[in-house]
């Protein structure tokens, strides 16, 4: 006879299965994970509580392949889940994203406890593959070589009630020598403008007041449909959508940044005065080696035109330090552009080999200590400029969209946080009246730090919004917050919680 202490805990076979998604990499992966969540919830799964840390029926890794040793990090995480799976009958593990697309044949060999491997082109198959793996009791590896369905046609479980990503294209036609993304996500494929605008209108009807147009090379939109001015037309069309208060986009490429886009930004009131424009290097020699199709003069010319048309625009960038063959003179060219452009913020990366890219096998790889020293010089210069540019905001009156989770010290300081139109982060004194994420608060800036602003006086005005109503409605229905998303790139436009960006692909 078996004692009660020897029995396994009772399992409720009728309870819905839980899922957890761990996301790494760029905004594309973040948006794909929203689709994966939507697919799983449509199939009957429920989001695992925050902090589950692998204690879910299904754990999905949405991977990134553009950083050195990305595979080692994946297999380390998979290894930590192996004993958990042994002790939890029925648990399934799935691996998708860019690394799955790249290493399709090795994941199950190295981690035979993985149940499903799927790629960037067939994320819609995840629920089917999970069920097939369960029934057949063997791993399912299915990698599509081309896009099966545009991601925006799939169900979505969006992370924010008041701000949303809207994908306008997938893939990339560039051949940058440091980037493997085009090989994994394929050639650029554009959505029809009507489909994009219909999605935006539907989101606004649900309460969303801010959207970020998303593409691997967002301002190349139109090349697939034969209209070179399609992107500027899309920005202007967004300006005609009633209730849409803020429009952003990421990430553009200097090659495709044309005067009609600058005009559309300046003339469309709900397009925000903010631009993330990847530089990568200020050296013409290095840009040529990177196979970037612009040079220093062209880049600075774009910045000059944007500032002339939109004087208060905040411009941010990505910079790679220590690309193979980079000389001290080349690095000084980068510092020159940083001084001239006066970026509000720069996301700086030390070059690391990305397996499968031409740059990984180039001669004259820069010693680590040289890269580190240059990186520290660049960061110090940019910190100085960021602080100087932020000090110019003191005394300005700004309308902030209240954000959720942006201020890590808000509880202790009795402040709230929000994003200015130019996407600067502002911490402000909590008003006496209730303020919800998505609402708009008018404040006067009183203090500037390199990475944030403070508004220490009383709010000048508070405007309750439909976006705030949407946030309240969602939180009344879903008291448990979702598990965190681990990212590496700057979150442009969507004011949801995000750790500080220190690493990432920097491949735009």
């Amino acid at each position: 006879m078996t004692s009660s202490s020897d029995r396994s805990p009772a399992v409720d076979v009728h309870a819905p299965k839980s899922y957890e998604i761990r996301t790494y990499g760029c905004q594309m992966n973040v948006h794909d994970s929203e689709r994966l969540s939507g697919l799983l919830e449509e199939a009957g799964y429920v989001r695992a509580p925050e902090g589950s840390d692998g204690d879910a029926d299904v754990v999905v890794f949405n991977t990134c392949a553009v950083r050195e040793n990305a595979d080692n990090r994946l297999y380390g995480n998979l290894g930590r889940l192996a004993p958990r799976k042994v002790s939890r009958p029925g648990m399934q593990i799935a691996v998708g994203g860019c690394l799955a697309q790249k290493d399709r044949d090795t994941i199950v060999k190295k981690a035979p406890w993985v149940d499903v491997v799927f790629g960037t082109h067939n994320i819609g198959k995840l629920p089917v593959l999970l069920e097939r793996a369960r029934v057949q009791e063997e791993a399912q590896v299915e990698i599509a070589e081309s896009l099966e369905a545009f991601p925006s046609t799939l169900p979505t479980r969006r992370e924010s009630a008041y701000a949303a990503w809207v994908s306008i294209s997938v893939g990339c036609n560039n051949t940058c020598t440091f980037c493997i993304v085009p090989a994994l996500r394929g050639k650029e494929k554009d959505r029809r403008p009507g489909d994009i605008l219909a999605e935006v209108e539907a989101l606004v009807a649900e309460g969303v007041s801010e959207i970020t147009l998303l593409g691997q090379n967002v301002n190349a939109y139109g090349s697939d449909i034969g209209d070179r001015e399609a992107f500027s037309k899309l920005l202007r069309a967004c300006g005609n959508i009633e209730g849409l208060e803020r429009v952003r986009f990421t990430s553009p490429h200097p090659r495709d940044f044309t005067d009609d886009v600058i005009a559309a930004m300046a003339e469309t009131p709900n397009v925000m005065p903010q631009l993330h424009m990847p530089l990568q290097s200020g050296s013409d020699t290095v840009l040529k080696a990177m196979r970037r199709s612009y040079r220093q003069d062209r880049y600075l010319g774009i910045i000059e035109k944007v500032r002339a048309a939109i004087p208060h625009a905040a411009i941010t960038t990505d910079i790679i330090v220590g690309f193979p063959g980079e000389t001290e003179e080349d690095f000084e060219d980068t510092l020159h552009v940083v001084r001239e452009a006066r970026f509000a913020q720069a996301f700086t990366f030390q070059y690391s080999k990305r397996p499968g890219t031409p740059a990984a096998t180039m001669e004259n790889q820069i010693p680590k200590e040289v890269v580190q020293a240059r990186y520290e010089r660049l960061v110090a210069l940019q910190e100085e400029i960021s602080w100087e540019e932020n000090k110019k905001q003191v005394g300005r009156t700004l309308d902030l969209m209240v954000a959720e989770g942006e201020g890590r010290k808000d509880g202790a300081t009795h402040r709230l946080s929000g994003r200015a139109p130019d996407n600067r982060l502002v911490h402000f004194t909590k008003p006496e009246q209730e303020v919800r994420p998505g609402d708009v608060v008018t404040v006067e800036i009183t203090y500037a730090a390199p990475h944030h602003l403070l508004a220490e006086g009383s709010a000048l005005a508070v405007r309750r919004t439909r976006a705030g109503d949407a946030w309240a409605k969602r939180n009344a229905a879903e008291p448990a917050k979702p598990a965190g998303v681990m990212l590496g790139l700057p979150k442009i436009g969507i004011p949801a919680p995000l750790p500080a960006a220190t690493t990432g692909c920097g491949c735009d």
Side-chain angles (χ1 to χ4, degrees):
M1 183 174 179
T2 305
S3 68
S4 59
S5 61
D6 295 330
R7 299 190 191 111
S8 299
V11 177
D12 184 355
V13 296
H14 300 293
K17 293 182 177 180
S18 61
Y19 75 91
E20 174 189 346
I21 298 179
R22 302 186 183 185
T23 308
Y24 304 86
C26 67
Q27 297 96 332
M28 285 291 187
N29 275 15
V30 178
H31 195 40
D32 283 349
S33 288
E34 291 184 331
R35 304 294 179 190
L36 293 170
S37 293
L39 286 160
L40 291 171
E41 293 188 9
E42 187 177 70
Y45 294 84
V46 296
R47 178 76 66 98
E50 182 179 4
S52 295
D53 193 25
D55 190 22
D57 296 301
V58 173
V59 179
V60 182
F61 291 85
N62 191 4
T63 63
C64 173
V66 299
R67 296 297 288 174
E68 188 175 23
N69 298 323
D71 54 344
N72 291 338
R73 291 196 298 274
L74 171 65
Y75 295 124
N77 287 323
L78 290 174
R80 284 188 283 275
L81 284 186
R84 181 75 57 86
K85 188 177 181 187
V86 171
S87 64
R88 187 185 181 110
M91 179 182 178
Q92 291 183 297
I93 300 172
V95 179
C98 290
L99 192 62
Q101 189 81 20
K102 174 177 170 286
D103 291 346
R104 65 194 74 183
D105 298 324
T106 60
I107 292 175
V108 174
K109 290 179 182 177
K110 290 187 175 182
W113 53 92
V114 169
D115 299 277
V116 171
V117 178
F118 63 102
T120 59
H121 298 312
N122 62 331
I123 64 175
K125 290 286 188 68
L126 177 59
V128 172
L129 294 172
L130 287 168
E131 180 64 12
R132 192 186 301 165
R134 184 187 68 80
V135 171
Q136 298 182 4
E137 297 184 343
E138 64 179 11
Q140 302 296 308
V141 180
E142 188 169 309
I143 306 291
E145 296 302 328
S146 59
L147 193 66
E148 293 187 347
F150 204 94
S152 294
T153 64
L154 302 174
T156 307
R157 199 281 187 193
R158 296 189 183 271
E159 295 298 330
S160 171
Y162 53 92
W165 303 107
V166 176
S167 181
I168 69 172
S169 64
V170 294
C172 180
N173 294 338
N174 293 318
T175 57
C176 301
T177 55
F178 57 81
C179 183
I180 199 171
V181 167
L184 301 179
R185 291 197 175 264
K187 293 293 185 181
E188 181 178 325
K189 184 174 179 59
D190 296 336
R191 291 178 71 189
R192 294 174 54 187
D195 292 341
I196 297 168
L197 295 171
E199 181 180 355
V200 174
E201 290 171 350
L203 287 167
V204 172
E206 294 171 5
V208 167
S209 61
E210 176 175 315
I211 60 108
T212 301
L213 302 175
L214 181 63
Q216 204 72 51
N217 182 9
V218 70
N219 61 320
Y221 176 75
S223 62
D224 183 49
I225 56 178
D227 184 352
R228 291 180 58 84
E229 295 189 354
F231 186 62
S232 62
K233 293 175 182 176
L234 184 61
L235 291 177
R236 292 182 186 277
C238 287
N240 295 325
I241 297 177
E242 185 176 355
L244 179 59
E245 298 191 16
R246 296 187 173 191
V247 178
R248 306 185 192 274
F249 56 89
T250 192
S251 286
H253 191 294
R255 182 196 66 187
D256 303 299
F257 208 82
T258 49
D259 291 349
D260 61 297
V261 172
I262 297 173
M265 291 177 65
E267 296 166 9
T268 309
N270 63 356
V271 175
M272 294 294 95
Q274 172 243 329
L275 175 64
H276 184 73
M277 177 73 79
L279 169 65
Q280 308 305 3
S281 174
S283 162
D284 288 354
T285 300
V286 174
L287 288 171
K288 183 178 180 181
M290 288 178 168
R291 216 178 287 158
R292 302 285 284 183
S293 52
Y294 55 90
R295 298 297 178 259
Q296 182 188 114
D297 286 349
R298 159 73 172 154
Y299 187 93
L300 287 174
I302 293 171
I303 301 300
E304 183 178 359
K305 288 180 179 179
V306 170
R307 293 206 189 283
I310 315 168
H312 288 300
I315 301 174
T316 57
T317 196
D318 297 330
I319 301 174
I320 297 173
V321 178
F323 188 81
E326 180 188 73
T327 64
E328 179 64 22
E329 183 180 2
D330 293 327
F331 179 65
E332 287 291 343
D333 285 342
T334 295
L335 297 181
H336 170 72
V337 175
V338 170
R339 294 187 186 99
E340 291 294 312
R342 300 197 64 80
F343 299 114
Q345 191 172 5
F347 300 93
T348 52
F349 309 92
Q350 296 187 38
Y351 172 78
S352 62
K353 293 181 180 179
R354 284 93 183 253
T357 64
T361 58
M362 285 182 176
E363 297 180 353
N364 299 320
Q365 300 284 329
I366 310 300
K368 170 65 177 176
E369 59 272 18
V370 175
V371 177
Q372 181 67 33
R374 290 176 182 171
Y375 175 81
E376 291 173 1
R377 289 163 58 195
L378 173 61
V379 169
L381 173 62
Q382 182 56 52
E383 287 277 303
E384 178 184 335
I385 292 172
S386 294
W387 199 359
E388 290 173 356
E389 291 302 306
N390 273 1
K391 288 176 181 177
K392 296 177 182 178
Q393 305 300 309
V394 174
R396 291 189 66 196
T397 298
L398 301 176
D399 290 332
L400 310 180
M401 181 176 288
V402 181
E404 182 178 22
E406 290 269 29
R408 291 188 292 272
K409 298 179 181 178
D410 282 353
T413 58
H414 303 290
R415 293 179 179 135
L416 296 176
S417 299
R419 290 283 177 176
D422 66 7
N423 209 39
R424 282 184 166 93
L425 177 63
V426 182
H427 306 300
F428 61 94
T429 302
K430 188 175 182 179
E432 293 184 4
Q433 64 195 96
E434 180 189 20
V435 178
R436 309 158 302 175
D439 287 339
V440 175
V441 176
T442 304
V443 300
E444 181 179 335
I445 303 303
T446 58
Y447 176 81
H451 301 292
H452 69 269
L453 303 171
L454 290 182
E456 299 166 299
S458 300
L460 303 179
V462 174
R463 176 165 62 87
R464 293 172 70 86
T465 66
R466 292 171 60 252
D469 294 343
W471 179 90
K473 181 178 179 181
R474 172 184 281 199
N475 279 264
E478 302 177 16
K481 306 301 287 182
V485 177
M486 294 172 284
L487 302 180
L489 278 181
K491 189 94 154 264
I492 304 299
I494 186 167
L498 219 214
T502 56
T503 60
C505 67
C507 55
D508 299 309

